[in-house]
Structure formats: C-alpha cells, structure tokens
Amino acid sequence: AQKVTQAQTEISVVEKEDVTLDCVYETRDTTYYLFWYKQPPSGELVFLIRRNSFDEQNEISGRYSWNFQKSTSSFNFTITASQVVDSAVYFCALYNTDKLIFGTGTRLQVFP
Amino acid sequence: DTGVSQNPRHKITKRGQNVTFRCDPISEHNRLYWYRQTLGQGPEFLTYFQNEAQLEKSRLLSDRFSAERPKGSFSTLEIQRTEQGDSAMYLCASSFYKGANEQFFGPGTRLTVL
C-alpha cells in the first residue's frame, strides 16, 4: 500500500523558533518521489521540494531544510527561525503511478 | 498571470442540481489533474489527463462525475445530481510530463451543496 502519514495535526510556535514537521511514508516501490507542498490561508498549494528515492542527501534552501532517511521511511521538513508568514498547512506527498498521494497535513501556526 | 486558473472560485448549489467547473492549465503543460480536498484532509486524486486522453479515474469518481479535456487544453469537471457529500474544494493541477515533475495547483473551486 502507498501511504503518507503526518502524525502532527497542529503545531504552534513563537516566531524565531525552529520547527520540524514529520512525514513517514509507505511504498513497495524501489524508485519513488517525495514532495512537500505549502497551503497558506489563501488556499493555493505551493510546491516546496521534490526528492527522489536515490538521493538521500539533505537539502537546504534558505530557512528550509529537509531530512530524507530511507531507513526509517521519513522525509522531515525543518523551518529555522520561523516567521509569521510561515503559518500554513504543510503537506507531504508521495508520487505513485502518475499521481500524488498526500498526507493529512500539519497546520503550523507561528505567533509573533 | 500564467499560473493554473479555475472558475468559478465558489459555487453554492442545491442538492440534485448539476454543476460544472473549469480549469485552465499552464499553457505548455500536457498533464492535467483533478483532486478533491475536504476540511482537515489532504487532497485526494480524482482523475488525470495527458493531452486530451483521460488516463486514470479514481474509485472516488462515481458515475455522477465526468471530466473532459477537449483538444488537450482546458478541462471541465461536471457533477450531476449533487449530494451534500460532494461539498469540498476541487483542485486542478498541471504539469509537464517528464517523470515525476512537480504539479502546479490552481486556487481551487469551493463547492457547497445545500
């Protein structure tokens, strides 16, 4: 079965705190792709990152970083020095046979 | 704006009525997807097209749902005899098919069935 689990339903932090959003996936495929999307209050999903299963190097983009560990089937997302504008729902997704399978999302609230 | 556009943004209808939504993808994208998102959930796949061919339909897509993409450009999603359970956000996404390319999402159409 193909499945994505985001166990954290909601996280609240104060501005400038670091926060990590967890994502655990299940797949029998040896080649697969993982994605993170952001859904701000406006509702439109915004692509953040794509990672293929052969590349386990961590990636950093500004305040965002991703930790991909095949051994634990996890693809976690960390925001460093969070800002109010980071408040949104974040979705992890698994690409399977031409479609995305999304987790239930983690709502992040960053308070000033 | 060259992103994915969807119309209408909001639709309120009475149970039993038919509704149609439109999606205009990014012009050079040959793949177009429809997803449905209910409150507190992630988007769920409904169907997708490559050019004008509908390649897959989810079991979520009952006989009351039909989607088209004539000429491989814009797409329409029609729901016949709407039910209250159809109330959701309907999302359209497009991508250029080259492996698992990122999908670009539109703003969605929020459907409320009274």
Side-chain angles (χ1 to χ4, degrees):
Chain A
Q2 320 281 343
K3 187 180 176 183
V4 174
T5 301
Q6 294 181 257
Q8 302 152 309
T9 306
E10 188 162 339
I11 300 175
S12 296
V13 299
V14 177
E15 222 173 6
K16 297 184 184 175
E17 282 187 33
D18 298 347
V19 57
T20 295
L21 310 181
D22 297 334
C23 172
V24 173
Y25 61 92
E26 294 176 34
T27 180
R28 292 196 196 98
D29 296 340
T30 53
T31 301
Y32 52 89
Y33 294 82
L34 296 163
F35 291 76
W36 275 95
Y37 280 84
K38 173 182 180 180
Q39 189 172 41
S42 60
E44 193 161 332
L45 282 156
V46 177
F47 165 78
L48 295 178
I49 190 172
R50 177 189 63 185
R51 175 54 51 88
N52 75 54
S53 53
F54 295 110
D55 182 3
E56 285 195 73
Q57 282 202 350
N58 291 337
E59 180 151 346
I60 298 174
S61 175
R63 296 184 297 106
Y64 296 170
S65 62
W66 290 269
N67 183 307
F68 176 35
Q69 291 197 340
K70 287 178 77 170
S71 60
T72 56
S73 297
S74 65
F75 187 41
N76 297 337
F77 173 32
T78 297
I79 301 175
T80 303
S82 59
Q83 299 176 1
V84 173
V85 293
D86 296 327
S87 296
V89 181
Y90 291 86
F91 291 98
C92 181
L94 173 68
Y95 185 82
N96 171 255
T97 54
D98 300 330
K99 59 186 174 290
L100 290 170
I101 298 170
F102 286 86
T104 51
T106 297
R107 178 178 298 279
L108 174 64
Q109 293 199 64
V110 182
F111 293 100
Chain B
D1 186 10
T2 56
V4 178
S5 62
Q6 292 187 247
N7 288 288
R9 295 291 308 276
H10 303 272
K11 179 71 177 178
I12 300 174
T13 190
K14 292 182 179 178
R15 191 171 46 140
Q17 297 294 305
N18 299 343
V19 294
T20 299
F21 310 141
R22 176 178 170 128
C23 171
D24 288 89
I26 293 170
S27 58
E28 61 268 27
H29 285 179
N30 53 2
R31 284 207 166 175
L32 187 148
Y33 302 81
W34 286 98
Y35 291 84
R36 181 171 68 187
Q37 185 178 21
T38 53
L39 205 60
Q41 300 297 314
E44 294 175 294
F45 169 79
L46 292 178
T47 188
Y48 86 99
F49 294 83
Q50 179 157 314
N51 300 312
E52 65 275 9
Q54 188 173 18
L55 297 186
E56 186 175 345
K57 293 194 290 185
S58 162
R59 282 174 290 180
L60 292 175
L61 216 63
S62 76
D63 291 344
R64 298 184 296 106
F65 288 70
S66 63
E68 293 182 344
R69 193 184 182 197
K71 302 178 184 177
S73 55
F74 70 92
S75 176
T76 58
L77 178 68
E78 181 183 14
I79 308 175
Q80 297 182 326
R81 305 180 304 281
T82 52
E83 301 172 356
Q84 287 186 324
D86 298 331
S87 295
M89 177 76 86
Y90 289 84
L91 298 167
C92 176
S94 70
S95 72
F96 181 72
Y97 179 57
K98 192 177 179 183
N101 271 3
E102 57 266 31
Q103 296 177 19
F104 293 86
F105 282 80
T109 295
R110 181 168 295 285
L111 173 66
T112 302
V113 182
L114 302 175

